[in-house]
């Protein structure tokens, strides 16, 4: 219904990507389902896992159970993810303290930040309008809207990756490293982005910004990961290494009929084959970064999208919902271009920025009236 109403609004609009249609789509596909599902108490299992992890973190120093047995006992996320469950631990059980809501807040904050950084150089009023339009259409994408409504934990990671790419695009390796480090403290899916962004910075700015980004990102990630790892190495290994990669005795609930799952189900040594294929694809992506590094943020987003697509397809334990990563990474550069023409214009950021400056006179040259 939300998409149908948005389509009607878009059909009546004179522009191709109307702000109102995106707003209607987000209300109908994210806001309304989110409120209804929260009131009804329906949520993905991840929400409870994150909130339990926050409770364990505050009481024992680690968000992981030492001897997980059944699927609900496992916490496959890195320690930083537990922060989204802290509001419920600190302020009690309510709709406003749900980890689902705070994952949405984290996604919106980082996605808006990524779009605003990307749109720097555009006059202030238009920057705010086009930023909102881009974020609305990205959020309205079905692969993004669904996990936001049901309580998925991947959207804030995606937002941080987009923010890191935007900062790298603007020549801010330190801020890009901070965004990558925070993402790397949430899920393993963020770690490949460090190599891709470093390759982008190396190609566009040289070794120094690339090294700065790598040091900052790995440092921030290590600060979040090391304390729980030192408190309970065995629990960390069981929860964060074996289980999410489908290598533990307990079968992960993250199963979809993708290639990696089919290999495990049909071949005698399917897990070994899937892991070997993941290693080969990782080496291939790494080689592509060395041989032909991305020189623009758009190229880096596409390279990361393809790398994560291979990892998702080949992983023994995966979900189709993980497609939010390549979907957002492939869509983000296009949305940045499309939002720059939402007012029927197709000029560059530099031209707009120059037009926003006051006219200056030059010696010996008449100023046009």
């Amino acid at each position: 219904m939300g998409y149908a109403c948005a389509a009607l609004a878009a059909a009546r609009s004179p522009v191709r990507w109307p702000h109102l249609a995106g707003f209607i789509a987000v209300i109908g596909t994210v806001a309304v389902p989110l409120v209804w599902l929260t009131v009804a108490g329906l949520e993905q299992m991840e929400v409870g896992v994150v909130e339990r992890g926050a409770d364990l973190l505050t009481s024992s120093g680690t968000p992981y159970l030492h001897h997980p047995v059944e699927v609900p006992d496992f916490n496959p996320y890195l320690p930083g993810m537990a922060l989204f469950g802290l509001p419920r631990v600190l302020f009690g059980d309510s709709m406003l303290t749900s980890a689902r809501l705070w994952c949405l807040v984290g996604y919106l904050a980082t996605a808006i930040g990524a779009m605003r950084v990307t749109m720097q150089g555009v006059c202030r009023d238009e920057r705010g309008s086009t930023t909102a339009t881009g974020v609305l259409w990205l959020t309205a994408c079905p692969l993004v809207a669904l996990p936001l409504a049901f309580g998925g934990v991947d959207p804030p990671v995606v937002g941080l990756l987009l923010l890191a790419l935007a900062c790298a695009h603007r020549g801010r390796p330190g801020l890009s490293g901070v965004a990558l480090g925070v993402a790397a403290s949430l899920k393993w899916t963020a770690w490949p982005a460090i190599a891709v962004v470093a390759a982008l910075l190396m190609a566009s700015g040289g070794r120094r910004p690339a090294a700065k980004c790598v040091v900052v990102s790995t440092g921030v990630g290590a600060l979040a990961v090391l304390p729980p790892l030192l408190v309970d190495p065995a629990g960390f290994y069981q929860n964060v290494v074996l289980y999410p990669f489908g290598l533990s005795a307990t079968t992960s609930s993250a199963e979809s009929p993708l290639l990696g799952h089919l290999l495990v189900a049909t071949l005698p040594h399917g897990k070994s084959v899937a892991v070997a294929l993941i290693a080969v694809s990782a080496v291939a992506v790494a080689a592509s970064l060395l041989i032909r590094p991305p020189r623009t943020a758009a190229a880096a987003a596409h390279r990361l999208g393809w790398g994560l697509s291979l990892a998702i397809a080949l992983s023994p334990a995966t979900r189709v919902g993980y497609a939010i990563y390549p979907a957002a990474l492939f869509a983000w550069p296009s949305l940045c271009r499309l939002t720059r023409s939402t007012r029927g214009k197709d000029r560059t950021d530099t031209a707009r920025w120059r037009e926003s400056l006051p006219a200056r006179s030059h010696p010996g040259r008449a100023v046009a009236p």
Side-chain angles (χ1 to χ4, degrees):
M1 181 62 70
Y3 289 124
C5 294
L8 290 175
R12 297 174 62 88
S13 174
V15 297
R16 293 195 307 171
W17 297 91
H19 182 90
L20 178 60
F23 180 76
I24 292 173
V26 170
I27 293 296
T29 60
V30 178
V32 173
L34 176 66
V35 173
W36 184 81
L37 291 169
T38 303
V39 172
L42 301 175
E43 60 189 22
Q44 286 188 338
M45 185 173 60
E46 287 92 328
V47 178
V49 170
V50 170
E51 292 172 350
R52 186 194 65 209
D55 190 21
L56 290 171
L57 181 64
T58 56
S59 61
S60 64
T62 175
Y64 310 110
L65 293 174
H66 183 68
H67 292 295
V69 178
E70 299 179 353
V71 170
D73 297 337
F74 286 88
N75 179 359
Y77 313 120
L78 292 172
M81 191 67 74
L83 296 178
F84 293 106
L86 282 181
R88 176 152 294 189
V89 174
L90 298 176
F91 303 107
D93 187 1
S94 72
M95 181 177 176
L96 295 179
T97 60
S98 172
R100 168 164 45 191
L101 176 63
W102 289 100
C103 283
L104 172 61
V105 171
Y107 160 77
L108 289 176
T110 51
I112 292 172
M115 196 65 71
R116 288 188 68 86
V117 170
T118 305
M119 298 298 293
Q120 283 182 356
V122 180
C123 63
R124 183 173 181 179
D125 292 340
E126 189 170 347
R127 181 171 67 244
S129 175
T130 54
T131 295
T133 303
V135 173
L136 284 172
W137 280 106
L138 179 63
T139 305
C141 172
L143 292 174
V144 179
L146 184 63
L148 285 174
F150 277 89
V153 298
D154 294 293
V157 183
V158 170
L160 285 164
L161 295 184
L162 298 182
L163 180 59
L165 286 166
C167 291
H169 170 66
R170 289 298 175 187
R172 300 178 180 177
L175 291 177
S176 181
V178 171
L180 284 173
V182 175
S185 72
L186 302 180
K187 289 195 73 173
W188 287 120
T189 47
W191 284 85
I194 297 177
V196 176
V197 175
L200 168 63
L201 291 170
M202 175 75 78
S204 59
R207 294 182 179 180
R208 192 167 186 175
K212 182 177 181 179
C213 178
V214 171
V215 170
V216 172
S217 58
T218 54
V220 172
L223 285 175
V225 170
L226 283 178
L229 175 61
L230 296 176
V231 169
D232 185 6
F236 183 93
Y237 184 66
Q238 287 287 335
N239 284 271
V240 182
V241 178
L242 295 182
Y243 180 75
F245 290 99
L247 303 176
S248 68
T250 303
T251 303
S252 171
S253 59
E255 295 180 354
S256 294
L258 298 176
L259 181 57
H261 177 66
L262 294 177
L263 289 174
V264 173
T266 57
L267 297 181
H269 301 285
K271 283 187 178 180
S272 300
V273 174
V275 171
L277 288 175
I278 292 175
V280 170
S281 64
V283 171
V285 173
S288 75
L289 294 176
L290 294 174
I291 297 171
R292 190 175 181 180
R295 298 186 179 276
T296 65
H302 290 162
R303 191 76 57 88
L304 180 58
W306 283 116
L308 291 177
S309 296
L310 289 172
I312 292 167
L314 296 173
S315 176
T318 189
R319 284 196 178 103
V320 174
Y322 292 162
I324 183 178
Y325 290 96
L329 290 166
F330 290 141
W332 178 65
S334 298
L335 283 171
C336 292
R337 289 195 296 268
L338 289 169
T339 53
R340 290 203 294 269
S341 60
T342 53
R343 296 186 180 185
K345 302 174 184 178
D346 194 23
R347 292 171 293 174
T348 63
D349 288 349
T350 303
R352 291 179 176 180
W353 175 72
R354 286 175 178 171
E355 289 181 5
S356 68
L357 294 177
R360 294 184 299 176
S361 60
H362 298 273
R365 185 183 302 173
V367 179

